Amino acid sequence: TAKLKAENVKLLVLDVDGVLTDGRIYYGNNDEELKSFSIKDGLGIKMLQRAGIDVAIITGRQSAIVTRRAAELGITDIIQGREDKRIALLELCDRCKIDLENCAYMGDDLPDLSAITSAGLGLTVADASKPVLEAADWHSQGCGGNGAVREASEFILDAQGLLDSAVAQYR
């Protein structure tokens, strides 16, 4: 089951558009690109990191905004501009010396499908494409960009018996 798979997660890898964001890209009049990120997702990522679970990003697009958000969250492993996310995931696991079975991947659309099915735990968002929803081990109740990563973070922490202590530090 998904909970059993989550017990072994040492690395959570996230797609950006449609997972950390709602999948929309806004363009301004001065050629600026804008994306919206959830603060709740950011806290979920920080909770994982404090519990000793690493977080990384693999995204098909190249964006300075993603670089900035990753830096704010202390995410140092970031791969941008990669269409074959499975190969990128394999490279990342090799570089981090983590087996695929100890890796969770969260994506939302067809380019994420091979990474979701290759990772030890495949995660997705409520508004993912149908083939991704069918292939994933677990999906959030919320849509991408609206706390779905926070849900995934809490799911992993709970499966590892770490959620209560992660929450306790805020009491």
Side-chain angles (χ1 to χ4, degrees), residues 9-11 46-54 157 162:
V9 170
K10 296 178 183 176
L11 172 67
K46 290 289 191 186
M47 290 166 65
L48 285 172
Q49 292 166 329
R50 287 185 196 117
I53 298 168
D54 291 325
L157 290 168
L162 302 171

Side-chain angles (χ1 to χ4, degrees), residues 32-100:
E32 69 268 23
E33 180 181 308
L34 305 172
K35 295 177 187 272
S36 174
F37 296 93
S38 169
I39 294 299
K40 291 179 181 179
D41 289 343
L43 183 57
I45 288 167
K46 290 289 191 186
M47 290 166 65
L48 285 172
Q49 292 166 329
R50 287 185 196 117
I53 298 168
D54 291 325
V55 180
I57 290 173
I58 297 174
T59 180
R61 300 184 75 246
Q62 187 81 31
S63 171
I65 296 168
V66 172
T67 302
R68 177 180 174 183
R69 184 64 176 148
E72 289 174 353
L73 295 172
I75 298 172
T76 56
D77 285 309
I78 177 169
I79 300 172
Q80 295 195 65
R82 293 292 293 276
E83 290 189 25
D84 191 329
K85 295 185 179 181
R86 181 181 179 276
I87 291 176
L89 179 64
L90 292 170
E91 291 170 3
L92 181 63
C93 286
D94 186 53
R95 186 168 69 229
C96 295
K97 295 179 175 40
I98 292 178
D99 293 329
L100 268 176

Side-chain angles (χ1 to χ4, degrees), residues 9-22:
V9 170
K10 296 178 183 176
L11 172 67
L12 172 61
V13 182
L14 302 167
D15 176 35
V16 175
D17 295 318
V19 174
L20 283 169
T21 76
D22 64 6

